[in-house]
Amino acid sequence: MSTKRELDTQTILSSAVELAEEKGLENVSLVQVAEKLGIKPPSLYNHVNGMQELTEGIAKLAVGRLEEVVRNAAVGRSKDDALTAVALAYRRFAGENPELYKAILRFPDCHTKDVRETGHAIVRILYQIMEPYQYSKKETIHFVRGFRSALHGFVSLEAAGFFRDGEAAVDESYRKLVSRLISTLHTEEGA
């Protein structure tokens, strides 16, 4: 049981994330967070201004964790290897943290500068990986958007249970998708 002195915004967010992973993001409430922390709900308002701020905090935490995973995957790698490592890490994150991944999808609705800035860090990592390919800024944007969309589409369909037919290994399908996307960089290099 937490005492008031031990309670801070990070502790509240961590408890909210645990609840989201246990019960589903849409089922998290301030009352449940307070119960999990062993406090009365009004005590939360010393640290968060309501459900909107809590939701934005969860989104920021989720995006920050994904950004860390993506950055760590890219470190020490370049070009194709970096993009492949990022794609694999992205899928692993989504699979291991399904409710946090849902929170990331709410990120465009978050109006705080902190949340938006954290989300843009992932895109900046992809732009840095793309630099050696020497694409124009516009073509880099097109590729990064397509790459992120393909990764998101795959992990979303997988999470929804669409790939259970058993005729082909899901891991192999994902690797082939990533490989084929990356191969377009070599057929159009510098476009």
Side-chain angles (χ1 to χ4, degrees):
M1 181 179 289
S2 297
T3 65
K4 191 171 185 178
R5 274 188 310 239
E6 296 171 359
L7 192 63
D8 60 18
T9 304
Q10 192 58 44
T11 301
I12 293 168
L13 287 175
S14 293
S15 292
V17 165
E18 287 175 22
L19 278 170
E21 290 297 352
E22 291 168 14
K23 299 182 178 195
L25 184 63
E26 61 281 350
N27 296 318
V28 174
S29 70
L30 291 171
V31 171
Q32 288 177 328
V33 173
E35 285 175 6
K36 185 164 183 69
L37 291 167
I39 61 170
K40 295 182 191 242
S43 298
L44 292 175
Y45 288 95
N46 293 324
H47 305 280
V48 294
N49 291 324
M51 199 59 205
Q52 176 68 30
E53 188 174 324
L54 184 67
T55 300
E56 287 183 1
I58 292 170
K60 181 180 178 190
L61 188 134
V63 172
R65 287 185 184 175
L66 178 58
E67 185 267 335
E68 181 180 359
V69 164
V70 166
R71 181 176 14 88
N72 288 342
V75 168
R77 295 178 172 91
S78 65
K79 293 180 89 174
D80 296 11
D81 290 339
L83 288 170
T84 300
V86 163
L88 295 174
Y90 185 97
R91 179 173 174 235
R92 189 171 46 255
F93 177 88
E96 292 172 358
N97 306 280
E99 297 302 315
L100 278 182
Y101 189 73
K102 286 180 190 174
I104 291 169
L105 300 181
R106 294 183 178 177
F107 145 69
D109 294 333
C110 294
H111 302 291
T112 66
K113 184 179 179 191
D114 275 356
V115 177
R116 286 193 312 268
E117 185 60 32
T118 302
H120 295 310
I122 295 168
V123 175
R124 281 194 299 274
I125 292 167
L126 290 172
Y127 286 159
Q128 288 171 349
I129 293 170
M130 289 296 296
E131 284 176 11
Y133 290 101
Q134 299 182 346
Y135 273 79
S136 69
K137 182 177 181 180
K138 185 176 175 181
E139 288 303 316
T140 297
I141 290 169
H142 290 316
F143 180 82
V144 168
R145 284 178 180 164
F147 189 73
R148 290 176 61 218
S149 297
L151 301 185
H152 167 67
F154 192 100
V155 301
S156 296
L157 289 170
E158 181 179 24
F162 282 97
F163 301 143
R164 294 189 183 152
D165 61 14
E167 290 184 36
V170 178
D171 290 347
E172 183 181 356
S173 295
Y174 189 73
R175 286 182 179 277
K176 284 183 178 286
L177 170 69
V178 171
S179 175
R180 288 175 180 153
L181 286 169
I182 293 170
S183 73
T184 65
L185 293 171
H186 300 290
T187 59
E188 304 171 8
E189 200 148 358

